[in-house]
Coordinates of all heavy atoms in Angstrom, one line a residue:
M1 N 6.9 11.2 -9.3 CA 5.6 11.1 -8.5 C 5.7 10.0 -7.5 O 6.4 9.0 -7.7 CB 4.4 10.7 -9.5 CG 3.2 10.6 -8.7 SD 1.8 10.1 -9.8 CE 1.8 11.6 -11.0
L2 N 5.1 10.2 -6.4 CA 5.0 9.3 -5.2 C 3.6 8.9 -5.0 O 2.6 9.7 -5.3 CB 5.5 10.0 -4.0 CG 7.0 10.4 -4.0 CD1 7.3 11.2 -2.8 CD2 7.9 9.2 -4.1
V3 N 3.4 7.6 -4.7 CA 2.1 7.1 -4.4 C 2.0 6.7 -2.9 O 3.0 6.0 -2.4 CB 1.9 5.8 -5.2 CG1 0.5 5.1 -4.8 CG2 1.8 6.2 -6.7
V4 N 1.0 7.2 -2.2 CA 0.8 6.8 -0.7 C -0.5 6.1 -0.5 O -1.5 6.6 -1.1 CB 0.9 8.2 0.1 CG1 0.7 7.9 1.5 CG2 2.3 8.9 -0.1
G5 N -0.5 5.1 0.3 CA -1.8 4.5 0.6 C -2.7 5.4 1.5 O -2.1 6.0 2.5
A6 N -3.9 5.3 1.1 CA -4.9 6.2 1.9 C -5.8 5.1 2.7 O -6.4 4.3 2.2 CB -5.8 6.9 1.0
P7 N -5.6 5.2 4.2 CA -6.3 4.2 4.9 C -7.9 4.5 5.0 O -8.2 5.6 5.4 CB -5.6 4.4 6.3 CG -5.1 5.8 6.4 CD -4.8 6.1 4.9
Y8 N -8.7 3.7 4.6 CA -10.1 3.8 4.6 C -10.6 2.5 5.5 O -10.1 1.5 5.5 CB -10.8 3.8 3.3 CG -10.6 5.0 2.5 CD1 -9.6 5.1 1.6 CD2 -11.5 6.1 2.7 CE1 -9.4 6.3 0.9 CE2 -11.2 7.2 2.1 CZ -10.2 7.3 1.1 OH -10.0 8.6 0.4
N9 N -11.8 2.8 6.1 CA -12.5 1.7 6.8 C -13.3 0.9 5.7 O -13.4 1.2 4.5 CB -13.5 2.2 7.8 CG -12.8 2.9 8.9 OD1 -11.8 2.5 9.4 ND2 -13.3 4.2 9.2
A10 N -13.7 -0.3 6.1 CA -14.5 -1.1 5.3 C -15.7 -0.5 4.5 O -16.0 -0.8 3.5 CB -14.9 -2.5 6.0
D11 N -16.3 0.4 5.3 CA -17.5 1.1 4.8 C -17.2 2.2 3.9 O -18.0 3.0 3.4 CB -18.4 1.6 6.0 CG -17.8 2.7 6.8 OD1 -16.6 3.1 6.5 OD2 -18.4 3.1 7.9
G12 N -15.9 2.5 3.7 CA -15.4 3.6 2.8 C -15.1 4.9 3.4 O -14.7 5.8 2.8
S13 N -15.4 5.0 4.7 CA -15.1 6.2 5.5 C -13.6 6.3 5.7 O -13.0 5.3 5.9 CB -15.9 6.3 6.7 OG -15.6 5.2 7.6
P14 N -13.1 7.5 6.0 CA -11.7 7.5 6.2 C -11.3 6.8 7.5 O -12.0 6.9 8.5 CB -11.4 9.0 6.4 CG -12.5 9.7 5.6 CD -13.7 8.7 5.8
G15 N -10.2 6.1 7.6 CA -9.8 5.5 8.8 C -9.2 6.4 9.8 O -8.8 7.6 9.5
A16 N -8.8 5.8 10.9 CA -8.3 6.6 12.0 C -6.9 7.2 11.6 O -6.6 8.4 12.1 CB -8.2 5.8 13.2
L17 N -6.2 6.6 10.7 CA -4.9 7.1 10.3 C -4.9 8.0 9.1 O -3.9 8.5 8.6 CB -3.9 6.0 10.1 CG -3.5 5.1 11.3 CD1 -2.7 4.0 11.0 CD2 -2.8 6.0 12.4
A18 N -6.0 8.2 8.5 CA -6.3 9.0 7.3 C -5.7 10.5 7.5 O -4.9 10.9 6.5 CB -7.7 9.1 6.9
P19 N -5.9 11.2 8.6 CA -5.3 12.5 8.7 C -3.7 12.4 8.8 O -3.0 13.3 8.1 CB -5.8 13.0 10.0 CG -7.1 12.3 10.3 CD -6.8 11.0 9.7
A20 N -3.2 11.4 9.4 CA -1.7 11.3 9.5 C -1.2 10.9 8.1 O -0.2 11.5 7.6 CB -1.2 10.2 10.4
A21 N -1.9 10.2 7.3 CA -1.5 9.8 5.9 C -1.5 11.0 4.9 O -0.6 11.2 4.2 CB -2.3 8.6 5.4
R22 N -2.6 11.8 5.1 CA -2.7 13.0 4.2 C -1.5 13.9 4.6 O -0.9 14.6 3.7 CB -4.0 13.7 4.4 CG -5.2 13.1 3.7 CD -6.4 13.8 3.6 NE -6.9 14.1 5.0 CZ -7.8 13.3 5.6 NH1 -8.1 12.2 5.1 NH2 -8.3 13.7 6.8
Q23 N -1.3 14.2 5.9 CA -0.2 15.0 6.4 C 1.2 14.5 5.8 O 2.0 15.3 5.4 CB -0.1 15.1 7.9 CG 0.9 16.0 8.4 CD 0.8 16.1 10.0 OE1 0.1 15.3 10.6 NE2 1.5 17.1 10.5
F24 N 1.4 13.1 5.9 CA 2.6 12.5 5.3 C 2.7 12.8 3.8 O 3.8 13.2 3.4 CB 2.6 11.1 5.6 CG 3.8 10.3 5.1 CD1 5.1 10.5 5.6 CD2 3.5 9.4 4.1 CE1 6.1 9.8 5.0 CE2 4.6 8.7 3.5 CZ 6.0 8.9 4.1
A25 N 1.6 12.6 3.1 CA 1.7 12.8 1.6 C 2.0 14.3 1.3 O 2.8 14.7 0.5 CB 0.3 12.5 1.0
A26 N 1.4 15.2 2.1 CA 1.6 16.6 2.0 C 3.1 17.1 2.3 O 3.7 17.9 1.5 CB 0.7 17.5 2.8
E27 N 3.7 16.5 3.3 CA 5.1 16.7 3.6 C 6.0 16.1 2.6 O 7.0 16.8 2.2 CB 5.4 16.1 5.0 CG 6.8 16.2 5.5 CD 7.4 17.6 5.6 OE1 6.5 18.5 5.7 OE2 8.6 17.8 5.5
L28 N 5.7 14.9 2.1 CA 6.5 14.4 1.0 C 6.5 15.3 -0.3 O 7.6 15.6 -0.9 CB 6.0 13.1 0.5 CG 6.2 11.9 1.5 CD1 5.5 10.6 1.0 CD2 7.8 11.6 1.6
E29 N 5.3 15.8 -0.6 CA 5.2 16.8 -1.8 C 5.9 18.0 -1.6 O 6.6 18.6 -2.4 CB 3.7 17.1 -2.0 CG 3.4 17.7 -3.4 CD 2.0 17.6 -3.8 OE1 1.1 17.3 -3.0 OE2 1.7 17.7 -5.0
R30 N 5.8 18.6 -0.3 CA 6.6 19.8 0.0 C 8.1 19.6 0.0 O 8.8 20.3 -0.6 CB 6.1 20.3 1.4 CG 6.8 21.7 1.8 CD 6.7 22.0 3.2 NE 7.4 21.1 4.1 CZ 8.8 21.0 4.2 NH1 9.5 21.8 3.5 NH2 9.4 20.2 5.0
R31 N 8.5 18.5 0.6 CA 9.9 18.2 0.8 C 10.6 18.0 -0.5 O 11.7 18.5 -0.8 CB 10.1 17.1 1.7 CG 11.6 16.8 2.0 CD 11.9 15.7 3.0 NE 11.3 16.3 4.3 CZ 11.4 15.4 5.4 NH1 11.9 14.2 5.3 NH2 10.9 15.9 6.6
F32 N 9.9 17.2 -1.4 CA 10.7 16.7 -2.6 C 10.1 17.5 -3.9 O 10.8 17.4 -4.9 CB 10.4 15.3 -2.9 CG 11.1 14.5 -1.8 CD1 10.3 13.8 -0.8 CD2 12.5 14.4 -1.6 CE1 11.0 13.1 0.3 CE2 13.1 13.7 -0.6 CZ 12.3 13.0 0.3
G33 N 9.1 18.3 -3.8 CA 8.6 19.1 -4.9 C 8.1 18.3 -6.0 O 8.2 18.7 -7.1
I34 N 7.6 17.1 -5.7 CA 7.0 16.3 -6.8 C 5.6 16.0 -6.4 O 5.2 15.9 -5.2 CB 7.8 15.0 -7.2 CG1 8.0 14.1 -5.9 CG2 9.2 15.3 -7.7 CD1 8.8 12.8 -6.2
P35 N 4.7 15.6 -7.3 CA 3.4 15.3 -7.0 C 3.3 13.9 -6.2 O 4.1 13.0 -6.4 CB 2.6 15.1 -8.4 CG 3.6 15.4 -9.4 CD 5.0 15.6 -8.8
V36 N 2.3 13.9 -5.3 CA 2.0 12.7 -4.4 C 0.5 12.4 -4.6 O -0.3 13.3 -4.6 CB 2.3 13.0 -3.0 CG1 1.9 11.7 -2.1 CG2 3.7 13.3 -2.8
R37 N 0.2 11.1 -5.0 CA -1.2 10.7 -5.2 C -1.4 9.7 -4.1 O -0.7 8.9 -3.7 CB -1.3 10.0 -6.5 CG -1.0 10.9 -7.8 CD -2.1 12.0 -7.8 NE -1.7 12.9 -8.9 CZ -1.2 14.1 -8.8 NH1 -0.9 14.5 -7.7 NH2 -1.0 14.9 -9.8
M38 N -2.6 9.7 -3.7 CA -3.1 8.8 -2.7 C -4.1 7.8 -3.2 O -4.9 8.1 -4.1 CB -3.8 9.6 -1.5 CG -2.8 10.4 -0.8 SD -3.4 11.1 0.7 CE -3.2 9.6 1.8
V39 N -3.9 6.5 -2.8 CA -4.7 5.4 -3.4 C -5.2 4.6 -2.2 O -4.5 4.4 -1.3 CB -3.8 4.6 -4.2 CG1 -4.6 3.2 -4.8 CG2 -3.2 5.2 -5.4
D40 N -6.4 4.3 -2.3 CA -7.1 3.4 -1.3 C -6.3 2.2 -1.0 O -6.0 1.4 -1.9 CB -8.5 3.0 -1.8 CG -9.5 2.2 -0.8 OD1 -8.9 1.9 0.2 OD2 -10.6 2.2 -1.0
E41 N -6.0 2.0 0.3 CA -5.2 0.8 0.6 C -5.9 -0.3 1.3 O -5.3 -1.3 1.8 CB -3.9 1.1 1.6 CG -4.4 1.8 2.9 CD -3.2 2.0 3.8 OE1 -2.1 2.3 3.3 OE2 -3.4 1.9 5.0
R42 N -7.3 -0.1 1.4 CA -8.1 -1.2 1.9 C -7.8 -2.5 1.4 O -7.8 -2.7 0.2 CB -9.6 -0.9 1.7 CG -10.3 -0.1 2.8 CD -11.7 0.0 2.4 NE -11.8 0.8 1.2 CZ -13.0 1.3 0.8 NH1 -14.1 0.9 1.3 NH2 -13.0 2.0 -0.4
W43 N -7.6 -3.4 2.2 CA -7.5 -4.9 1.9 C -6.1 -5.2 1.2 O -5.9 -6.3 0.9 CB -8.6 -5.4 1.1 CG -10.1 -5.0 1.3 CD1 -10.9 -4.2 0.6 CD2 -10.8 -5.1 2.6 NE1 -12.0 -3.9 1.3 CE2 -12.0 -4.5 2.5 CE3 -10.4 -5.8 3.8 CZ2 -12.9 -4.4 3.5 CZ3 -11.3 -5.8 4.8 CH2 -12.6 -5.2 4.7
S44 N -5.3 -4.1 1.0 CA -4.0 -4.5 0.4 C -3.1 -5.5 1.1 O -2.5 -6.4 0.6 CB -3.2 -3.3 0.1 OG -2.9 -2.5 1.4
S45 N -3.2 -5.5 2.4 CA -2.4 -6.4 3.3 C -3.0 -7.8 3.2 O -2.2 -8.8 3.1 CB -2.3 -6.0 4.7 OG -1.6 -4.8 4.9
L46 N -4.3 -7.8 3.2 CA -5.0 -9.1 3.0 C -4.7 -9.8 1.6 O -4.4 -11.0 1.5 CB -6.5 -9.0 3.3 CG -6.9 -8.8 4.7 CD1 -8.4 -8.5 4.6 CD2 -6.6 -9.8 5.6
E47 N -4.8 -9.0 0.6 CA -4.4 -9.4 -0.7 C -3.0 -9.8 -0.8 O -2.7 -10.9 -1.4 CB -4.7 -8.2 -1.7 CG -4.6 -8.6 -3.1 CD -5.0 -7.5 -4.0 OE1 -5.8 -6.6 -3.7 OE2 -4.4 -7.4 -5.2
A48 N -2.1 -9.0 -0.2 CA -0.6 -9.4 -0.2 C -0.4 -10.8 0.5 O 0.3 -11.7 0.0 CB 0.1 -8.3 0.4
N49 N -1.0 -10.9 1.6 CA -0.8 -12.2 2.4 C -1.3 -13.3 1.6 O -0.6 -14.3 1.6 CB -1.6 -12.0 3.7 CG -1.3 -13.2 4.7 OD1 -0.1 -13.6 4.8 ND2 -2.2 -13.5 5.5
A50 N -2.5 -13.3 1.0 CA -3.0 -14.3 0.2 C -2.1 -14.7 -0.9 O -2.0 -15.9 -1.2 CB -4.5 -13.9 -0.2
A51 N -1.6 -13.6 -1.6 CA -0.7 -13.9 -2.7 C 0.6 -14.6 -2.3 O 1.1 -15.5 -2.9 CB -0.5 -12.6 -3.4
L52 N 1.2 -14.1 -1.2 CA 2.4 -14.8 -0.7 C 2.2 -16.2 -0.2 O 3.0 -17.0 -0.4 CB 3.0 -14.0 0.5 CG 3.5 -12.6 0.1 CD1 3.7 -11.7 1.4 CD2 4.8 -12.8 -0.7
K53 N 0.9 -16.4 0.5 CA 0.7 -17.8 0.8 C 0.5 -18.7 -0.3 O 0.9 -19.9 -0.4 CB -0.5 -17.8 1.7 CG -0.2 -17.3 3.1 CD -1.4 -17.4 4.1 CE -1.0 -17.0 5.5 NZ -2.1 -17.1 6.4
A54 N -0.1 -18.2 -1.4 CA -0.4 -19.0 -2.6 C 0.9 -19.3 -3.3 O 1.1 -20.4 -3.7 CB -1.2 -18.3 -3.6
R55 N 1.9 -18.3 -3.3 CA 3.2 -18.6 -3.8 C 4.0 -19.7 -3.0 O 4.6 -20.5 -3.6 CB 4.0 -17.3 -3.9 CG 3.6 -16.3 -5.0 CD 4.3 -15.1 -4.9 NE 5.8 -15.3 -5.0 CZ 6.6 -14.3 -4.7 NH1 6.2 -13.2 -4.3 NH2 7.9 -14.5 -4.7
R56 N 3.8 -19.7 -1.7 CA 4.4 -20.7 -0.9 C 3.8 -22.1 -1.0 O 4.5 -23.0 -1.3 CB 4.3 -20.3 0.6 CG 5.1 -21.3 1.5 CD 5.3 -20.7 2.9 NE 6.3 -21.5 3.6 CZ 6.0 -22.1 4.7 NH1 4.9 -21.8 5.4 NH2 7.0 -22.7 5.3
A57 N 2.5 -22.1 -1.2 CA 1.8 -23.4 -1.4 C 2.2 -24.0 -2.7 O 2.2 -25.2 -2.9 CB 0.3 -23.2 -1.4
S58 N 2.5 -23.2 -3.8 CA 2.8 -23.7 -5.0 C 4.3 -24.0 -5.2 O 4.7 -24.7 -6.1 CB 2.6 -22.6 -6.2 OG 3.5 -21.6 -6.1
G59 N 5.1 -23.8 -4.2 CA 6.5 -24.1 -4.1 C 7.3 -23.1 -4.7 O 8.6 -23.2 -4.6
E60 N 6.7 -21.9 -5.2 CA 7.6 -20.9 -5.7 C 8.3 -20.1 -4.6 O 9.4 -19.6 -4.8 CB 6.6 -19.9 -6.4 CG 7.3 -18.7 -7.0 CD 6.3 -17.8 -7.7 OE1 5.1 -18.2 -8.0 OE2 6.6 -16.6 -7.8
R61 N 7.8 -20.1 -3.4 CA 8.4 -19.4 -2.3 C 8.7 -20.5 -1.3 O 7.8 -21.2 -0.8 CB 7.3 -18.4 -1.7 CG 7.8 -17.6 -0.6 CD 6.8 -16.6 -0.1 NE 7.1 -15.9 1.0 CZ 7.9 -14.9 1.1 NH1 8.2 -14.4 -0.1 NH2 8.2 -14.3 2.2
K62 N 9.8 -20.5 -0.7 CA 10.3 -21.5 0.3 C 10.0 -21.0 1.7 O 9.5 -21.8 2.5 CB 11.8 -21.9 0.1 CG 12.1 -22.3 -1.3 CD 11.4 -23.6 -1.6 CE 11.8 -24.0 -3.0 NZ 10.8 -24.8 -3.6
R63 N 10.4 -19.8 2.0 CA 10.3 -19.4 3.4 C 8.8 -19.0 3.8 O 8.1 -18.7 3.0 CB 11.2 -18.4 3.8 CG 10.9 -17.1 3.3 CD 11.9 -16.0 3.7 NE 11.5 -14.6 3.3 CZ 12.3 -13.7 2.6 NH1 13.5 -14.1 2.2 NH2 11.7 -12.6 2.3
R64 N 8.6 -19.0 5.2 CA 7.2 -18.7 5.6 C 7.1 -17.3 5.4 O 8.0 -16.4 5.2 CB 7.1 -19.2 7.1 CG 7.7 -18.3 8.0 CD 7.6 -19.1 9.5 NE 7.1 -18.3 10.5 CZ 7.4 -17.0 10.9 NH1 8.1 -16.3 10.1 NH2 6.9 -16.5 11.9
V65 N 5.9 -16.7 5.5 CA 5.4 -15.4 5.1 C 5.7 -14.6 6.4 O 5.2 -14.9 7.5 CB 4.0 -15.3 4.8 CG1 3.6 -13.8 4.6 CG2 3.8 -16.0 3.5
R66 N 6.5 -13.5 6.2 CA 6.8 -12.6 7.4 C 6.2 -11.3 7.3 O 5.7 -10.9 6.2 CB 8.4 -12.3 7.4 CG 9.2 -13.6 7.7 CD 10.6 -13.4 7.5 NE 10.9 -12.7 6.3 CZ 12.1 -12.2 6.0 NH1 13.1 -12.3 6.8 NH2 12.3 -11.6 4.8
R67 N 6.0 -10.5 8.3 CA 5.3 -9.3 8.3 C 6.0 -8.3 7.2 O 5.2 -7.6 6.5 CB 5.4 -8.6 9.7 CG 4.7 -7.3 9.8 CD 3.1 -7.5 9.6 NE 2.6 -6.3 9.0 CZ 1.3 -6.3 8.5 NH1 0.5 -7.3 8.7 NH2 0.9 -5.2 7.9
E68 N 7.3 -8.3 7.2 CA 7.8 -7.3 6.2 C 7.7 -7.7 4.8 O 7.6 -6.9 3.9 CB 9.5 -7.2 6.4 CG 10.2 -8.4 6.6 CD 10.3 -9.1 7.9 OE1 9.5 -8.7 8.9 OE2 11.3 -9.9 8.1
D69 N 7.5 -9.0 4.5 CA 7.1 -9.5 3.3 C 5.7 -9.1 2.9 O 5.4 -8.6 1.8 CB 7.2 -11.0 3.1 CG 8.6 -11.5 3.4 OD1 9.5 -10.9 3.0 OD2 8.6 -12.7 4.0
I70 N 4.8 -9.1 3.9 CA 3.4 -8.7 3.6 C 3.4 -7.1 3.3 O 2.7 -6.7 2.4 CB 2.5 -9.0 4.8 CG1 2.3 -10.5 4.9 CG2 1.1 -8.3 4.6 CD1 1.8 -11.0 6.2
D71 N 4.2 -6.4 4.1 CA 4.2 -4.9 4.0 C 4.7 -4.6 2.5 O 4.1 -3.7 1.9 CB 5.0 -4.3 5.0 CG 4.4 -4.3 6.3 OD1 3.2 -4.5 6.5 OD2 5.2 -4.1 7.4
S72 N 5.8 -5.1 2.1 CA 6.3 -4.8 0.8 C 5.4 -5.3 -0.4 O 5.3 -4.6 -1.3 CB 7.8 -5.3 0.6 OG 7.8 -6.7 0.7
T73 N 4.9 -6.4 -0.2 CA 3.9 -6.9 -1.2 C 2.6 -6.0 -1.2 O 2.2 -5.7 -2.3 CB 3.5 -8.4 -1.0 OG1 4.8 -9.1 -1.0 CG2 2.6 -8.9 -2.1
A74 N 2.1 -5.5 0.0 CA 1.0 -4.6 0.0 C 1.4 -3.3 -0.7 O 0.5 -2.8 -1.4 CB 0.7 -4.4 1.5
A75 N 2.6 -2.8 -0.5 CA 3.0 -1.6 -1.2 C 3.0 -1.8 -2.7 O 2.5 -1.0 -3.5 CB 4.5 -1.3 -0.9
A76 N 3.4 -3.0 -3.2 CA 3.3 -3.3 -4.7 C 1.8 -3.3 -5.1 O 1.5 -2.9 -6.2 CB 4.0 -4.6 -4.9
V77 N 1.0 -3.9 -4.3 CA -0.4 -3.9 -4.5 C -1.0 -2.5 -4.7 O -1.8 -2.2 -5.7 CB -1.3 -4.7 -3.4 CG1 -2.8 -4.4 -3.6 CG2 -1.0 -6.2 -3.5
I78 N -0.7 -1.6 -3.8 CA -1.1 -0.2 -3.8 C -0.6 0.5 -5.2 O -1.3 1.2 -5.8 CB -0.7 0.6 -2.6 CG1 -1.4 0.0 -1.3 CG2 -0.9 2.0 -2.7 CD1 -0.8 0.4 -0.1
L79 N 0.7 0.3 -5.5 CA 1.2 0.8 -6.7 C 0.5 0.3 -7.9 O 0.2 1.0 -8.9 CB 2.7 0.5 -6.8 CG 3.4 1.2 -8.0 CD1 3.2 2.6 -8.1 CD2 4.9 0.8 -8.0
E80 N 0.2 -1.1 -7.9 CA -0.5 -1.6 -9.0 C -1.9 -1.0 -9.2 O -2.4 -0.8 -10.3 CB -0.6 -3.1 -8.9 CG 0.7 -3.9 -9.1 CD 0.6 -5.3 -8.7 OE1 -0.4 -5.9 -8.1 OE2 1.7 -6.0 -8.8
R81 N -2.5 -0.7 -8.0 CA -3.8 -0.1 -8.1 C -3.7 1.3 -8.8 O -4.5 1.7 -9.6 CB -4.5 0.0 -6.7 CG -4.9 -1.3 -6.1 CD -5.4 -1.0 -4.7 NE -5.8 -2.4 -4.2 CZ -6.1 -2.5 -2.9 NH1 -6.2 -1.5 -2.1 NH2 -6.5 -3.6 -2.5
W82 N -2.7 2.1 -8.4 CA -2.5 3.3 -9.0 C -2.2 3.3 -10.6 O -2.9 3.9 -11.4 CB -1.4 4.2 -8.4 CG -1.2 5.4 -8.9 CD1 -1.9 6.6 -8.7 CD2 -0.4 5.9 -10.0 NE1 -1.6 7.6 -9.5 CE2 -0.6 7.2 -10.4 CE3 0.5 5.1 -10.8 CZ2 0.0 7.9 -11.4 CZ3 1.3 5.8 -11.9 CH2 1.0 7.2 -12.1
L83 N -1.4 2.3 -10.9 CA -1.1 2.0 -12.3 C -2.4 1.7 -13.1 O -2.5 1.9 -14.3 CB 0.0 1.0 -12.5 CG 1.4 1.4 -12.0 CD1 2.3 0.2 -12.0 CD2 1.9 2.5 -13.0
A84 N -3.3 0.9 -12.4 CA -4.6 0.6 -13.0 C -5.6 1.7 -13.2 O -6.7 1.6 -13.6 CB -5.2 -0.6 -12.3
G85 N -5.2 2.9 -12.5 CA -6.1 4.0 -12.7 C -6.7 4.5 -11.4 O -7.4 5.6 -11.4
E86 N -6.6 3.9 -10.3 CA -7.1 4.3 -9.0 C -6.3 5.5 -8.5 O -5.1 5.5 -8.6 CB -7.1 3.2 -7.9 CG -8.1 2.1 -8.2 CD -8.1 1.1 -7.1 OE1 -8.0 1.5 -5.9 OE2 -8.3 -0.1 -7.4
G87 N -7.0 6.5 -8.0 CA -6.3 7.6 -7.5 C -5.6 8.6 -8.6 O -5.0 9.7 -8.2
N88 N -5.9 8.3 -9.8 CA -5.4 9.2 -10.8 C -6.4 10.4 -11.0 O -7.6 10.2 -11.0 CB -5.2 8.5 -12.2 CG -4.2 7.5 -12.2 OD1 -3.3 7.5 -11.4 ND2 -4.3 6.5 -13.1
D89 N -5.9 11.5 -11.1 CA -6.7 12.8 -11.3 C -6.8 13.1 -12.7 O -6.0 13.0 -13.5 CB -6.1 14.0 -10.6 CG -5.8 13.8 -9.2 OD1 -4.8 13.0 -9.0 OD2 -6.4 14.3 -8.3

């Protein structure tokens, strides 16, 4: 199974990239023949950035927070949301 972030606006309406994300998810499902689930990705980058900054402030993380670190941590946040039951049918 694959998990894809679904872009929503703060008010819960689909974001501008929602159609492209749905198309991407459908293409993944078609190409690989496995289920794809979409999970609300609202605030995942903010949550990731805050977590990385907290790790740096505590001394656990030495280097400054980079965009690619935020992206990969946000992906982990989205997966954690799915594991917690969001987006499960």
